[in-house]
Amino acid sequence: MPHRPYIVGNWKMNGSRAMLAEARAIDRAAGRYPDVQVALAPPFTLIGALREAITAMGVGGQDCHAQAKGAHTGDVSGAMLIDAGADFVILGHSERRKDHGESDELVRSKAEAALAAGLTIIVCVGETLDQRDAGDAVAIVSSQIDGSLPVGEVANEAAAAGKIAVAYEPVWAIGTGRVAAVEDVVAMHAAISERLTGIYGDAADKVRILYGGSVNAGNASELLAAPGVSGALVGGASLTSDAFLPIIAAAGTGEA
């Protein structure tokens, strides 16, 4: 059975309470596309306010700690995200891996902690331009899948319930305006699907695979129509309703 398209906006380190008006506009538009699951991941400071401001969308965090509580200054746990109003969390984004040195092992521990706390998760994977040019893209992403995805009983139960998504984000296409060729996206999503089957067996069919590399109004229709693409993880184009709505519309049907 085809997945319900999943369109997730990642606001990264952008946003203040003044942007809640944009969030409300996006939320109203999302309500016109019930066949599309739409969500926003604002900065931690806005999760509670965003949850109170909207009705149709999901609300998520951009990271969480691997521990449920403790002496971890500046960090936020999965339980804290839920308490603030979040229902999902993005983990292993390439900017976290690069800027904070996050390893596959750390991403996996965060993923397992988030699931245990009751969140759904989006785990990000992707290769650099040098790795792609060297012909290592599939090997790199497959290794990240093997090392970053949660394992064990809780993970298999979560996969079966559709609580895990994977976002393929070619690092060289994030924030650069460059987009992977559709045939390359299809090939990589197929490789990811194969690895997921190796980890989760039949439950892998429940894991949605999103594309996340400079998705915008101009390329969304082609990317979202590609085989194996279950949605999109959107960065800069999710900051305004004018830019984000065409992406939501490309994923479903309804009145723009």
Side-chain angles (χ1 to χ4, degrees), residues 113-131:
L115 287 175
L119 293 162
T120 62
I121 62 173
I122 300 171
V123 177
C124 301
V125 296
E127 82 283 1
T128 66
L129 184 58
D130 286 345
Q131 290 166 338

Side-chain angles (χ1 to χ4, degrees), residues 18-256:
M19 282 185 62
L20 292 175
E22 288 290 345
R24 292 187 189 97
I26 294 169
D27 188 61
R28 289 193 296 272
R32 298 199 295 270
Y33 296 88
D35 54 329
V36 181
Q37 184 178 355
V38 182
L40 287 177
F44 293 133
T45 54
L46 287 179
I47 289 174
L50 182 60
R51 170 54 68 196
E52 293 179 358
I54 56 92
T55 59
M57 295 188 297
V59 178
Q62 299 174 16
D63 184 48
C64 75
H65 199 276
Q67 300 297 320
K69 60 181 179 180
H72 306 290
T73 301
D75 285 307
V76 176
S77 71
M80 289 174 174
L81 289 179
I82 290 175
D83 186 59
D87 45 59
F88 75 95
V89 64
I90 299 168
L91 299 168
H93 191 280
S94 62
E95 291 157 359
R96 297 289 311 179
R97 292 178 185 265
K98 177 179 180 292
D99 296 345
H100 298 271
E102 294 194 357
S103 65
D104 292 341
E105 181 180 13
L106 178 58
V107 174
R108 170 180 280 170
S109 65
K110 290 183 175 186
E112 292 175 348
L115 287 175
L119 293 162
T120 62
I121 62 173
I122 300 171
V123 177
C124 301
V125 296
E127 82 283 1
T128 66
L129 184 58
D130 286 345
Q131 290 166 338
R132 172 161 283 277
D133 287 345
D136 296 331
V138 170
I140 291 295
V141 170
S142 295
S143 177
Q144 290 176 337
I145 290 285
D146 289 344
S148 303
L149 268 289
V151 295
E153 184 177 351
V154 64
N156 277 288
E157 290 176 354
K163 295 181 180 179
I164 299 172
V166 172
Y168 167 55
E169 43 162 26
V171 178
W172 48 270
I174 299 171
T176 65
R178 297 183 61 181
V179 182
V182 172
E183 56 267 28
D184 292 332
V185 174
V186 171
M188 185 63 78
H189 279 229
I192 292 171
S193 180
E194 182 178 352
R195 294 307 308 147
L196 290 172
T197 299
I199 297 171
Y200 300 125
D202 291 342
D205 290 340
K206 300 293 185 181
V207 180
R208 289 180 288 191
I209 307 174
L210 316 180
Y211 175 74
S214 294
V215 180
N216 56 50
N219 59 40
S221 293
E222 184 178 23
L223 287 167
L224 292 170
V229 177
S230 300
L233 180 60
V234 184
S238 69
L239 294 174
T240 66
S241 57
D242 285 347
F244 201 32
L245 175 55
I247 300 173
I248 297 171
T253 59
E255 296 182 8

Side-chain angles (χ1 to χ4, degrees), residues 8-22:
V8 181
N10 177 13
W11 279 9
K12 305 187 180 183
M13 198 173 72
N14 298 290
S16 64
R17 294 183 70 90
M19 282 185 62
L20 292 175
E22 288 290 345

